[in-house]
């Protein structure tokens, strides 16, 4: 079955701490991978995406993610978080051929304390 | 401004009542989607439409219906058959399998 697993449901960090949010997926075939972020009171918006090429992708606000095909993982990282990074983060995976729906993980709530 | 609008922001449903959530986009996207967001469960796909006058069921279509008469519009009706409708509903659109862009959402509450 197709699925996305986000290992951490809640993460609490102090400002300047490093962040890594785990994402593993189960999906037959080649995939497109996404991280979305939902800031309090705002739209769900794209943080970064991987379609092909360099498995290390950089997104907005200093975030990056690495696609490791052998581990079926697409972990999100940021070397130094800020209070403004407080949000809910969603990993999503979709297929590459024809139309394939996106499968979302359950989300990780990040709280950054000043 | 290009984007996706959803209305209303909050919607209250009485027992046995059908309610319709609006979703409009001016991004000229062919594909549109409806998701339901519940705490701790992420987003689950209700219905999607790749082109006008065509739509398919997602993972949790029971108790919901949609129409796609215009490219810009993809309304969702929550019928009385949906026994647990309280949730946050998100509409999205995309060009094919490219990035999905999301609206601000509608929170549905049952009276």
């Amino acid at each position: 079955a197709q699925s996305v697993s986000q290992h951490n449901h809640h993460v609490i960090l102090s400002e300047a701490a490093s962040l890594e949010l785990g994402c593993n997926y189960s999906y037959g075939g080649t995939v497109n991978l996404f991280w979305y972020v939902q800031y309090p009171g705002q739209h769900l918006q794209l943080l970064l995406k991987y379609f092909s090429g360099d498995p290390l992708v950089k997104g907005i606000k200093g975030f990056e993610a690495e696609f490791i095909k052998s581990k079926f993982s697409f972990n999100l990282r940021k070397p130094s978080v800020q209070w403004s990074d407080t949000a809910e983060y969603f990993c999503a995976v979709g297929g590459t051929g024809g139309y394939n729906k996106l499968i979302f993980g359950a989300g990780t709530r990040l709280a950054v304390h000043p | 401004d290009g984007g996706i609008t959803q209305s209303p922001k909050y919607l209250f449903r009485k027992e046995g009542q059908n309610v319709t959530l609006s979703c409009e986009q001016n991004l000229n996207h062919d594909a549109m989607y409806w998701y339901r967001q519940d705490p701790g469960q992420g987003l689950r796909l209700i219905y999607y439409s790749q082109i006008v006058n065509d739509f398919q069921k997602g993972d949790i279509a029971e108790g919901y219906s949609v129409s796609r008469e215009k490219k810009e519009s993809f309304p969702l009706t929550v019928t009385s058959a949906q026994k647990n409708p309280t949730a946050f509903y998100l509409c999205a659109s995309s060009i094919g399998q490219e990035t999905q862009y999301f609206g601000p959402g509608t929170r549905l509450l049952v009276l």
Side-chain angles (χ1 to χ4, degrees), chain B residues 6-68:
Chain B
Q6 291 186 241
S7 62
K9 187 173 182 179
Y10 295 95
L11 185 58
F12 298 91
R13 193 191 91 164
K14 296 179 181 178
E15 291 289 337
Q17 186 181 38
N18 293 354
V19 293
T20 297
L21 285 62
S22 168
C23 176
E24 303 278 331
Q25 55 99 359
N26 61 5
L27 300 168
N28 200 32
H29 287 171
D30 290 314
M32 296 187 75
Y33 316 79
W34 273 106
Y35 293 90
R36 171 179 170 141
Q37 186 179 7
D38 295 281
Q41 296 192 49
L43 280 70
R44 292 181 291 167
L45 184 65
I46 303 172
Y47 268 97
Y48 65 96
S49 168
Q50 298 180 67
I51 57 172
V52 174
N53 293 322
D54 187 52
F55 49 83
Q56 287 80 39
K57 293 182 179 180
D59 296 320
I60 55 166
E62 185 174 352
Y64 300 97
S65 66
V66 293
S67 63
R68 186 85 186 279

Side-chain angles (χ1 to χ4, degrees), chain A residues 22-110:
Chain A
C23 173
N24 285 89
Y25 65 91
S26 172
Y27 201 99
T30 54
V31 295
N32 293 329
L33 296 157
F34 305 82
W35 275 98
Y36 281 87
V37 60
Q38 192 171 35
Y39 297 104
Q42 294 189 27
H43 297 203
L44 196 68
Q45 60 185 279
L46 182 71
L47 202 54
L48 49 78
K49 64 184 179 184
Y50 171 82
F51 281 10
S52 63
D54 188 344
L56 183 62
V57 293
K58 296 189 183 300
I60 60 172
K61 304 187 179 185
F63 286 90
E64 65 178 30
E66 185 175 12
F67 170 47
I68 303 179
K69 188 176 181 180
S70 62
K71 295 185 177 180
F72 301 94
S73 71
F74 191 54
N75 291 355
L76 181 70
R77 300 193 292 250
K78 186 171 184 179
S80 176
V81 295
Q82 301 173 316
W83 176 79
S84 58
D85 293 324
T86 295
E88 189 161 17
Y89 294 80
F90 295 92
C91 181
V93 61
T96 60
Y99 174 81
N100 287 285
K101 64 186 181 183
L102 284 185
I103 309 295
F104 282 84
T108 297
R109 284 189 180 273
L110 171 65

